[in-house]
Amino acid sequence: MLTTLQTTYTDTRAADLAWALGRERLPALAVLNLQLADAKVELRLLGASHQVLLEEGEVLCSETVACMPGSSTPLPLGVAKRVGDWEYEFAARVETLSRGSFAGRAQELLALVADHPNGLAGTFPGDPHAFTALLAQRYEGQVRWRTWHAYPQEGQLVATRTRVGVRTGAVVESA
């Protein structure tokens, strides 16, 4: 799903992004609710990037990557944490591209996400290459999502990937 976000583009520097795990639900400009097997996934586009909420059984995982005033956790290259019986893994990278390469990559990513049933992308008014996009899937018992945050004025694209799954060796009770 592709939407134009009805807000000004305030999230203007990749370096301002921060990461948080466990934040409360924040106001969203666009939301896509998904059911991936037993998992409920909520992809949320914020005025300042993204939030993903994952609920399966009694475990809730909330990931936020955004410009968050007062946040002291910058965007890490990688994180591995335990959330209940789940293993949470997060990775991020920043690509710096030429103007022509950036425009082509932006169009490619927007087309990929807009046409995917588990994808949500939002462009910001004023620049068709200023966007945030999310894509979720369930694979081999894990829920995974990828995100892209585009900063055309800097020629930077922030890409993240997250994987959440049952911890190896954890006993899972079936109902």
Side-chain angles (χ1 to χ4, degrees):
M1 180 170 88
L2 178 62
T3 185
T4 299
L5 301 173
Q6 300 304 313
T7 188
T8 56
Y9 185 55
T10 58
D11 192 13
T12 57
R13 292 184 57 233
D16 291 339
L17 283 176
W19 167 87
L21 189 62
R23 283 191 73 126
E24 69 285 347
R25 178 179 270 112
L26 297 172
L29 300 171
V31 176
L32 179 63
N33 290 302
L34 302 170
Q35 186 74 41
L36 302 177
D38 294 335
K40 293 179 186 175
V41 180
E42 191 173 315
L43 303 179
R44 303 170 60 76
L45 294 176
L46 312 176
S49 295
H50 89 258
Q51 185 174 52
V52 176
L53 305 176
L54 167 64
E55 184 180 347
E56 188 168 5
E58 296 190 20
V59 181
L60 176 65
C61 179
S62 167
E63 172 190 282
T64 306
V65 172
C67 293
M68 296 177 275
S71 175
S72 60
T73 306
L75 189 64
L77 294 177
V79 173
K81 288 194 173 263
R82 199 164 161 196
V83 179
D85 284 336
W86 292 349
E87 289 292 333
Y88 168 91
E89 294 179 12
F90 171 87
R93 76 175 193 285
V94 179
E95 297 177 58
T96 301
L97 305 164
S98 69
R99 185 176 295 271
S101 294
F102 187 92
R105 183 78 171 126
Q107 290 173 344
E108 177 184 283
L109 289 169
L110 284 170
L112 168 77
V113 175
D115 292 339
H116 197 286
N118 297 345
L120 175 62
T123 58
F124 292 88
D127 190 330
H129 301 127
F131 69 89
T132 300
L134 300 93
L135 184 62
Q137 66 177 349
R138 183 152 191 122
Y139 181 74
E140 294 183 352
Q142 299 177 333
V143 177
R144 300 175 180 198
W145 58 88
R146 298 191 63 193
T147 74
W148 298 271
H149 306 264
Y151 300 91
Q153 70 286 358
E154 294 183 309
Q156 290 189 321
L157 184 67
V158 178
T160 75
R161 63 177 169 76
T162 301
R163 181 174 64 193
V164 180
V166 174
R167 186 169 47 89
T168 305
V171 176
V172 179
E173 296 178 21
S174 56

